[in-house]
Amino acid sequence: MITKEVFDFLKELKENNTRDWFTANKKNYEQQKKVVESFITKLIDGVQAFDSEITGISYKDCMFRINRDVRFSLDKSPYKTNFGGFIAKGGRNAMNAGYYLHIEPGSSFIGGGIYMPPADKLKSVRNEIYFNAGEFKNIIENKTFIKYFNEIWDDFKLKNPPKDFPKDFPDIDLLKFKNYTVIHNIEDNKLSEPDFYNYIIDVFKAMYPLNRFINRGISNI
């Protein structure tokens, strides 16, 4: 589970997002980071039990750096105010579908799928849906899937059919996504409950068929 001290640190960081404050509180940061690293390590083991593609990775391959890239941002705050870990084949940067935990006071969630894939991978996923629409719909309409995820989440969904696909395809709306991502919002105190590990593994298992379908499409590149 994720301790209250992790959230306390992130709240303080949000209120004091400066390099001087972070340097002065580096020891506390390292302590809370270890808590998250330990939990991500446990999650990797849990995911490996049902997803055979998750092999040869550690928390170092999955966790995101807390430093922000501010080169192209108006917000010059140097640090993220969250911890995040993405468990996927090849790690967080491999651009495969996977399993995500986002730890942020007031905005924590469990997520998965694939976010902002490059054009070739996005087209391969769309092709997989185009030729196997029935299978895809069975996945996202499954009652266990719906228990945790209301819909495919995408702020950038196309208004028009994507290029190279027939406009009269009956399930054309399924091809308009630019992200095939799912999100399950959770209260912060849920992460601190003793059974949270089992809970998140159940959520990850529910998204496994979606990840398997997406990664099958990607493998055709």
Side-chain angles (χ1 to χ4, degrees):
M1 64 180 183
I2 303 300
T3 62
K4 177 179 178 294
E5 287 74 18
V6 171
F7 286 97
D8 288 343
F9 169 78
L10 291 173
K11 288 176 183 177
E12 290 181 27
L13 175 58
K14 186 174 182 179
E15 295 173 359
N16 304 275
N17 201 332
T18 65
R19 298 190 188 279
D20 287 344
W21 183 91
F22 192 86
T23 299
N25 290 269
K26 187 70 175 290
K27 184 177 180 180
N28 189 20
Y29 162 68
E30 295 292 350
Q31 289 175 338
Q32 307 318 320
K33 183 185 176 196
K34 285 182 180 179
V35 173
V36 180
E37 289 172 349
S38 177
F39 192 73
I40 295 296
T41 297
K42 188 176 180 181
L43 285 181
I44 292 170
D45 291 339
V47 172
Q48 286 175 337
F50 62 85
D51 188 338
S52 60
E53 289 197 326
I54 306 301
T55 61
I57 59 172
S58 72
Y59 72 84
K60 294 180 181 179
D61 304 302
C62 302
M63 285 187 63
F64 293 91
R65 297 174 69 245
I66 200 164
N67 301 76
R68 293 182 64 246
D69 183 352
V70 300
R71 291 174 298 172
F72 308 107
S73 175
L74 294 176
D75 179 4
K76 299 302 180 182
S77 302
Y79 304 105
K80 300 172 186 174
T81 54
N82 65 78
F83 286 111
F86 185 62
I87 301 169
K89 178 183 178 181
R92 66 184 182 279
N93 294 321
M95 294 308 300
N96 292 311
Y99 312 84
Y100 180 64
L101 173 62
H102 186 88
I103 304 165
E104 182 177 7
S107 301
S108 298
F109 65 88
I110 302 166
I114 191 166
Y115 179 70
M116 297 299 285
D120 58 341
K121 290 193 174 186
L122 177 58
K123 186 171 182 179
S124 290
V125 173
R126 286 172 172 162
N127 275 329
E128 193 70 18
I129 296 171
Y130 178 73
F131 289 109
N132 303 280
E135 179 185 353
F136 186 75
K137 287 192 290 185
N138 285 339
I139 290 171
I140 62 175
E141 294 172 2
N142 179 275
K143 64 180 182 180
T144 303
F145 183 89
I146 293 173
K147 177 181 177 181
Y148 299 110
F149 312 112
N150 294 326
E151 60 185 353
I152 302 294
W153 178 87
D154 189 355
D155 278 348
F156 305 101
K157 188 175 181 180
L158 299 174
K159 293 182 179 180
N160 299 312
K163 182 182 177 182
D164 299 328
F165 292 95
K167 295 181 180 179
D168 60 352
F169 176 55
D171 296 301
I172 193 65
D173 280 347
L174 296 178
L175 305 183
K176 292 180 180 180
F177 295 104
K178 298 180 74 173
N179 305 296
Y180 288 88
T181 306
V182 290
I183 289 177
H184 177 68
N185 294 310
I186 47 178
E187 298 293 332
D188 295 340
N189 60 1
K190 182 70 176 178
L191 284 84
S192 300
E193 293 177 358
D195 69 340
F196 179 63
Y197 170 78
N198 293 326
Y199 183 84
I200 189 172
I201 289 296
D202 285 343
V203 178
F204 282 168
K205 285 180 178 178
M207 74 173 71
Y208 168 61
L210 175 67
N211 285 342
R212 180 180 57 194
F213 185 96
I214 293 171
N215 286 331
R216 190 180 73 199
I218 290 172
S219 69
N220 293 326
I221 296 177

